[in-house]
């Protein structure tokens, strides 16, 4: 059967496209197909010069095919290496970061896997044991890697230093090869070097791993998975307005880390900072920015989850949380909705379990002072509440700095519009200042909602009355139209402000009485 040249060209193009995209499985199939077609075509050619040209072409495709096979094998080896050797703790923390940043709105953070029957066994046996245990003896359970391990690690690094030049010289001795072969060799070299350093890295990771036993291990795992965020990735610039709050937080958290020797004695860092203000004004964002900007380990705790998950274990979790924070110091512990964890003592809603959690939190916060004397080991509690009047007196005393996070000013609202519309096309006639004026009394979260709605208006108009199939066929550019002033007006009509004048008065009154700035 005769082979069409177009068929050969199509197959080769597809093979190369797949290879460029890194889809080596499919690339392999297309290369095989192309080579078969070329062989069949060559068999039909009688004229020697043409035959020769096609054979040259066949050689080129053959070389490319061989490269793809090599890459595939290398990738497979790398995949096995990665899945087999990254320390579990490190992987978990990455997962946590992903969860918290990308899918927190989809995944219900309140749903935790139940403990395994085996762990329940440990739990009950531990419960039957002595009920109280001093923080000190508990702390002794947190083992850092023994000095022997460190010695091994440094030995390994010395060994690595010696082997590195040998690997380089080996590469220099090699005869020159094609570019693709050199790339493959470079990959192999990297792989060699990675596997040589692998043990060293694993040991380092192990050294940093917070250790404890039994049920506590499981609670610590839960904290690491759901509460520790390695890099919340919010910067000061992502937050509009709130200059005063940023300055205060910098002074309270960042400076003591930079100049620990200055912040001692009477100048010791604050034990805790309470951020007070209406919902959606950026309190959580500020806490995340503190952690990002000063590179602290960030413990993001919502007190409703802390008190609801593992009933009866909350108290233990609070203790573990602080132990972990000390272990991974410098750390920021952010407790959102602290009012729900620490409502006023003796109030009707307070039952025995929450009283115990509260007491534990107070004990742990007192422990922070001693800990913060150690340079570089600072633990800072940042709490947030929309209901400051519900907070326990004793806790209020420990949250020494109490700052107000207000609704955005005119300048802040304009800044919020700019931040929210960074990735959206704007009609040149849109006047952000005049829109910001219309948004007086709106919180940051309200403004985000208005922007989201406004940016979807044109798309909504386009798809109105269309069937799903027709919607799918609409070209992207027809949907991605610039946002107009009218879109904003409609969005503002649809989204009301969420904070009332009475609420604002209440905050003002409380801050006049208890605030500090
Ligand atoms: P809070 O903790 O005060 O309830 P958040 O920090 O969770 O509020 O903010 C909720 C959302 O509102 C954020 O995800 C962000 O989109 C928006 N937002 C609120 N305040 C600001 C601000 N000052 N700058 C930028 N975005 C903000």
């Amino acid at each position: 059967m005769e082979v069409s040249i177009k068929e050969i060209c199509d197959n080769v193009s597809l093979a190369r496209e797949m290879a460029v995209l890194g889809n080596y499985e499919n690339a392999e199939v297309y290369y095989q197909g192309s080579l078969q077609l070329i062989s069949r075509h060559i068999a039909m050619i009688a004229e020697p010069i043409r035959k020769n040209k096609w054979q040259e072409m066949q050689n080129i495709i053959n070389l490319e095919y061989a490269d793809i096979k090599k890459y595939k094998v290398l990738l497979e080896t790398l995949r096995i290496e990665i899945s087999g050797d990254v320390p579990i703790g490190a992987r978990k923390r990455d997962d946590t970061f992903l969860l918290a940043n990308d899918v927190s709105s989809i995944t219900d953070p309140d749903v935790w896997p139940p403990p395994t029957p085996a762990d329940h066994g440990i739990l009950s046996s531990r419960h039957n044991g002595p009920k109280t245990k001093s923080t000190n003896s508990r702390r002794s359970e947190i083992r850092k890697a023994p000095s022997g391990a460190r010695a091994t690690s440094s030995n390994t690094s010395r060994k690595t230093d010696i082997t590195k030049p040998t690997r380089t010289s080996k590469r220099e001795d090699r005869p020159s090869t094609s570019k693709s072969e050199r790339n493959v060799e470079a990959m192999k070299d990297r792989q060699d070097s990675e596997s040589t350093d692998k043990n060293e890295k694993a040991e380092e990771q192990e050294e940093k791993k917070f250790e404890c036993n039994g049920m506590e291990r499981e609670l610590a795992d839960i904290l690491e998975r759901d509460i520790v965020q390695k890099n919340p990735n919010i910067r000061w610039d992502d937050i509009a307005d709130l200059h005063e709050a940023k300055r205060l937080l910098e002074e309270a958290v960042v400076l003591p880390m930079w100049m620990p020797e200055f912040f001692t004695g009477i100048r010791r860092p604050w034990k805790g900072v309470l951020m007070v203000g209406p919902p959606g004004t950026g309190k959580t964002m500020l806490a995340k920015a503190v952690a990002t900007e000063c590179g602290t380990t960030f413990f993001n705790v919502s007190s409703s989850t802390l008190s609801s998950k593992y009933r009866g274990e909350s108290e233990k979790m609070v203790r573990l949380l602080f132990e972990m924070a000390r272990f991974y110091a410098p750390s920021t512990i952010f407790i959102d909705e602290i009012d729900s964890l620490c409502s006023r003592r003796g109030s009707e809603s307070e039952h025995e379990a929450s009283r115990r959690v509260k007491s534990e939190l107070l004990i742990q916060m007192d422990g922070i002072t001693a800990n913060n004397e150690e340079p570089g080991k600072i633990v800072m509690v940042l709490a947030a509440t929309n209901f400051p009047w519900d907070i326990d007196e004793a806790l209020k005393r420990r949250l020494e700095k109490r700052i107000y996070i207000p609704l955005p000013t005119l300048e802040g609202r304009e800044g919020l519009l700019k931040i929210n519309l960074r990735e959206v096309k704007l009609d040149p006639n849109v006047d952000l200042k005049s829109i910001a004026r219309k948004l007086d009394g709106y919180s940051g979260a309200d403004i985000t909602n208005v922007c989201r709605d406004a940016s979807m208006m044109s798309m909504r108009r386009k798809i109105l009355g269309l069937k799903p199939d027709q919607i799918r066929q609409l070209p992207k550019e027809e949907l991605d139209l610039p946002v107009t002033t009218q879109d904003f007006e409609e969005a503002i009509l649809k989204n009301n402000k969420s904070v009332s004048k009475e609420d604002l008065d209440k905050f003002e009154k409380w801050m006049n009485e208890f605030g500090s700035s």
Side-chain angles (χ1 to χ4, degrees):
M1 201 178 69
E2 206 167 300
V3 180
S4 93
I5 295 183
K6 184 175 179 307
E7 209 179 339
I8 296 175
C9 289
D10 286 348
N11 268 276
V12 172
S13 300
L14 275 166
R16 286 176 172 164
E17 219 169 276
M18 294 293 157
V20 168
L21 291 172
N23 188 345
Y24 298 134
E25 297 263 332
N26 287 352
E28 230 186 331
V29 174
Y30 281 113
Y31 271 116
Q32 274 168 3
S34 312
L35 285 165
Q36 273 170 15
L37 290 175
I38 293 171
S39 301
R40 269 169 39 206
H41 184 64
I42 289 174
M44 314 283 289
I45 301 173
E47 195 199 326
I49 298 177
R50 247 186 97 212
K51 202 177 186 106
N52 225 335
K53 289 239 160 175
W54 272 101
Q55 277 164 343
E56 271 174 34
M57 176 62 74
Q58 190 181 31
N59 283 340
I60 292 169
I61 303 293
N62 239 327
L63 280 175
E64 286 181 20
Y65 179 38
D67 277 346
I68 293 303
K69 280 197 287 189
K70 269 191 229 164
Y71 291 146
K72 214 182 114 193
V73 172
L74 269 175
L75 260 182
E76 207 45 53
T77 329
L78 278 173
R79 232 172 256 147
I80 294 165
E81 291 264 349
I82 290 165
S83 62
D85 284 319
V86 172
I88 289 165
R91 239 182 293 148
K92 266 188 189 147
R93 299 187 75 185
D94 286 346
D95 289 350
T96 313
F97 174 56
L98 183 87
L99 233 167
N101 282 286
D102 300 335
V103 287
S104 56
S105 52
I106 309 163
T107 322
D108 180 0
D110 284 341
V111 181
W112 287 3
T116 58
D119 291 320
H120 272 305
I122 297 164
L123 172 66
S124 44
S125 67
R126 290 189 133 248
H127 269 282
N128 294 339
K131 281 230 161 77
T132 48
K133 209 172 181 189
S134 80
T135 314
N136 280 348
S137 69
R138 204 168 277 282
R139 215 174 280 167
S140 66
E141 282 175 14
I142 307 168
R143 270 189 304 115
K144 296 214 177 190
S147 51
R150 265 185 221 117
T152 329
S153 158
S154 59
N155 285 346
T156 325
S157 79
R158 230 173 289 133
K159 258 186 242 156
T160 326
D161 286 343
I162 298 164
T163 50
K164 265 177 193 159
T166 325
R167 277 205 305 272
T168 320
S169 60
K170 228 171 40 185
R171 190 168 39 226
E172 277 162 4
D173 290 347
R174 278 178 205 151
S176 62
T177 44
S178 76
K179 194 177 166 198
S180 54
E181 275 172 339
R182 278 200 303 276
N183 285 344
V184 175
E185 277 167 15
M187 267 174 97
K188 269 188 189 157
D189 274 356
R190 230 173 293 144
Q191 203 183 343
D192 279 354
S193 115
E194 273 164 19
S195 66
T196 317
D197 295 340
K198 198 175 51 200
N199 293 339
E200 197 184 335
K201 278 194 193 136
E203 272 171 32
E204 273 170 30
Q205 288 282 359
E206 237 168 73
E207 255 187 69
K208 276 189 213 147
K209 181 96 177 144
F210 177 80
E211 288 189 32
C212 51
N213 309 316
M215 185 59 190
E216 288 198 352
R217 174 71 263 157
E218 202 204 338
L219 290 177
D221 281 346
I222 289 166
L223 285 171
E224 286 207 5
R225 191 188 61 210
D226 289 3
I227 287 171
V228 181
Q229 263 176 271
K230 191 67 186 150
N231 180 6
N233 214 10
I234 302 276
R235 310 216 78 103
W236 293 132
D237 289 347
D238 297 322
I239 305 175
D241 214 0
L242 304 178
H243 307 295
E244 184 60 9
K246 288 179 196 169
R247 188 192 63 76
L248 280 167
L249 286 172
E250 237 169 359
E251 186 189 289
V253 189
V254 186
L255 297 185
M257 282 180 195
W258 288 349
M259 308 182 275
E261 64 292 338
F262 180 81
F263 287 86
T264 49
I266 188 72
R267 296 198 198 105
R268 71 180 184 281
W270 307 101
K271 251 186 264 186
V273 176
L274 177 66
M275 292 185 284
V276 172
T281 43
K283 297 183 285 298
T284 310
M285 287 188 88
L286 282 167
K288 289 184 175 175
V290 166
T292 313
E293 296 286 351
C294 36
T296 56
T297 316
F298 185 57
F299 293 77
N300 191 353
V301 192
S302 155
S303 51
S304 61
T305 54
L306 201 58
S307 53
S308 66
K309 281 173 195 172
Y310 284 94
R311 283 212 173 278
E313 294 303 313
S314 311
E315 189 190 339
K316 205 178 271 176
M317 267 186 128
V318 171
R319 197 158 44 220
L320 263 179
L321 173 69
F322 278 79
E323 281 175 7
M324 282 174 78
R326 279 190 282 268
F327 183 78
Y328 289 117
S331 307
T332 313
I333 300 178
F334 174 59
I335 310 180
D336 202 3
E337 313 162 12
I338 195 153
D339 49 277
S340 66
L341 191 68
C342 289
S343 54
R344 278 200 305 275
R345 285 163 175 237
S347 64
E348 269 177 36
S349 59
E350 190 185 42
H351 48 70
E352 182 49 32
S354 72
R355 216 192 315 270
R356 284 205 312 266
V357 174
K358 233 185 306 183
S359 302
E360 189 58 50
L361 185 61
L362 297 180
I363 294 170
Q364 293 301 329
M365 286 196 67
D366 286 341
I368 281 181
T369 318
N371 193 72
N372 283 358
E373 295 285 325
E374 231 183 290
K377 280 278 166 191
I378 288 177
V379 175
M380 166 67 62
V381 174
L382 256 181
T385 181
N386 307 333
F387 307 100
W389 37 86
D390 280 346
I391 288 182
D392 186 294
E393 290 298 323
L395 184 74
K396 203 157 57 196
R397 268 201 311 279
R398 282 158 180 90
L399 294 166
E400 300 154 300
K401 199 98 186 136
R402 294 178 285 270
I403 58 178
Y404 186 48
I405 313 298
L407 288 181
T409 58
L410 175 64
E411 176 219 342
R413 296 195 296 275
E414 198 182 339
L416 266 153
L417 288 171
K418 283 184 188 149
I419 289 175
N420 279 303
L421 298 166
R422 276 194 289 222
E423 288 152 23
V424 177
K425 279 189 245 161
L426 269 189
D427 185 283
N429 295 324
V430 169
D431 176 6
L432 289 183
K433 188 151 237 113
S434 92
I435 294 168
R437 260 186 228 112
K438 289 185 187 143
L439 290 170
D440 186 20
Y442 279 64
S443 71
D446 295 339
I447 294 173
T448 303
N449 286 342
V450 167
C451 291
R452 194 173 295 148
D453 247 343
S455 64
M456 302 228 278
M457 288 293 177
S458 63
M459 184 268 292
R460 286 196 191 118
R461 279 194 292 269
K462 273 270 171 222
I463 65 169
L464 194 71
L466 295 184
K467 298 203 174 79
D469 265 358
Q470 294 168 306
I471 294 175
R472 257 180 254 132
Q473 277 162 17
L474 279 175
K476 195 172 157 271
E477 5 358 304
E478 274 192 37
L479 295 173
D480 192 16
L481 297 176
V483 187
T484 61
T485 309
Q486 194 206 333
D487 292 336
F488 278 108
E489 276 161 7
E490 279 180 42
I492 294 172
L493 280 180
K494 278 179 64 189
N495 292 276
N496 290 319
K497 50 183 106 166
S498 59
V499 186
S500 70
K501 173 86 178 62
E502 293 82 72
D503 289 342
L504 291 177
D505 291 345
K506 234 171 146 182
F507 279 115
E508 205 171 306
K509 195 161 161 263
W510 191 89
M511 280 308 291
N512 280 339
E513 204 170 340
F514 303 107
S516 60
S517 54

